Amino acid sequence: EPEVTQTPSHQVTQMGQEVILRCVPISNHLYFYWYRQILGQKVEFLVSFYNNEISEKSEIFDDQFSVERPDGSNFTLKIRSTKLEDSAMYFCASYRDALGEQFFGPGTRLTVL
Amino acid sequence: QKEVEQNSGPLSVPEGAIASLNCTYSDRGSQSFFWYRQYSGKSPELIMSIYSNGDKEDGRFTAQLNKASQYVSLLIRDSQPSDSATYLCAVNSNQAGTALIFGKGTTLSVSS
């Protein structure tokens, strides 16, 4: 069964550094998402992407964040200058149709030191 | 501010019992409702979706939706120790976009 994949599984970085988190959504899916989950807290929406542009973003998704679909398969989240509070699990999700059932990847644990 | 509320638990049930998980949401315009299961350190895994009032059954799981009361529930019959996890309620307001709004989750513990 097709799955969303994410790399790396764990990223450790120094505060102020740039990180790029990568996702490969399910191949025939059209809508792509990034969510994050700070340890012990709820899953929070960051951004949605459809037809090669951002369709929706939350207040968390400020100017230090960007997303890109550089080719037909990858979907990336870039954090330009990481802060301690960016430490979290970052999940990519995708779905195909109007049912809206979103399928999540395994996540990338980002640790900012 | 759209909110999804769940009791954090833990909800403890013996093996073979029925576990009942509840969720309320604030946005009356919400259209789609989902239950995800999340094991510790893992990603959310979709269990059920429900879109109209009433019950929807899938194996040991039954989702119930009451839009008038803004209430969603998940029943797990014949609970197994492997069902021990955090159950996340998620809501999508199609009027505002497709982002899912999650509750904090209810931790279920099934004892053998």
Side-chain angles (χ1 to χ4, degrees), chain B residues 38-42 85-86:
Chain B
Q38 187 176 33
Y39 293 111
S40 181
K42 302 295 185 182
T86 298

Side-chain angles (χ1 to χ4, degrees), chain B residues 2-54:
Chain B
K2 300 179 179 68
E3 298 285 344
V4 176
E5 299 290 341
Q6 297 180 255
N7 289 327
S8 60
L11 174 65
S12 297
V13 301
E15 184 175 357
I18 295 175
S20 177
L21 305 160
N22 305 314
C23 169
T24 58
Y25 58 95
S26 63
D27 183 7
R28 189 168 288 278
S30 298
Q31 300 289 322
S32 308
F33 307 87
F34 307 90
W35 283 99
Y36 285 83
R37 177 173 63 198
Q38 187 176 33
Y39 293 111
S40 181
K42 302 295 185 182
S43 62
E45 174 192 5
L46 182 66
I47 299 174
M48 295 278 293
S49 58
I50 187 166
Y51 306 96
S52 55
N53 283 328

Side-chain angles (χ1 to χ4, degrees), chain A residues 29-107:
Chain A
H29 284 192
L30 302 175
Y31 299 81
F32 314 118
Y33 301 81
W34 285 101
Y35 293 85
R36 80 173 185 190
Q37 187 176 32
I38 295 170
L39 187 63
Q41 299 188 24
K42 63 182 177 182
V43 177
E44 300 175 290
F45 166 73
L46 294 177
V47 65
S48 61
F49 195 84
Y50 170 71
N51 201 24
N52 287 320
E53 61 181 23
I54 291 173
S55 54
E56 192 180 2
K57 61 183 180 180
S58 72
E59 292 177 353
I60 302 169
F61 193 86
D62 61 22
D63 291 344
Q64 72 161 338
F65 291 93
S66 63
V67 289
E68 195 175 45
R69 189 159 163 81
D71 54 43
S73 59
N74 289 285
F75 179 50
T76 63
L77 174 69
K78 181 191 291 187
I79 309 175
R80 287 190 185 80
S81 179
T82 50
K83 304 172 188 168
L84 295 176
E85 54 264 37
D86 292 328
S87 295
M89 281 289 285
Y90 288 81
F91 297 112
C92 175
S94 68
Y95 83 88
R96 182 173 59 89
D97 56 28
L99 285 178
E101 291 183 338
Q102 296 184 23
F103 296 91
F104 282 70

Side-chain angles (χ1 to χ4, degrees), chain B residues 5 16 23 38 40 46 50 67-68 72 78 93-94 99 101 106-108:
Chain B
E5 299 290 341
C23 169
Q38 187 176 33
S40 181
L46 182 66
I50 187 166
K67 288 186 178 180
V72 195
D78 188 24
S93 171
N94 288 338
I101 302 166
T106 298
T107 300
L108 173 66

Side-chain angles (χ1 to χ4, degrees), chain A residues 3-16:
Chain A
E3 294 180 336
V4 178
T5 60
Q6 290 185 243
T7 55
S9 57
H10 190 191
Q11 174 92 48
V12 181
T13 189
Q14 295 292 323
M15 188 171 53

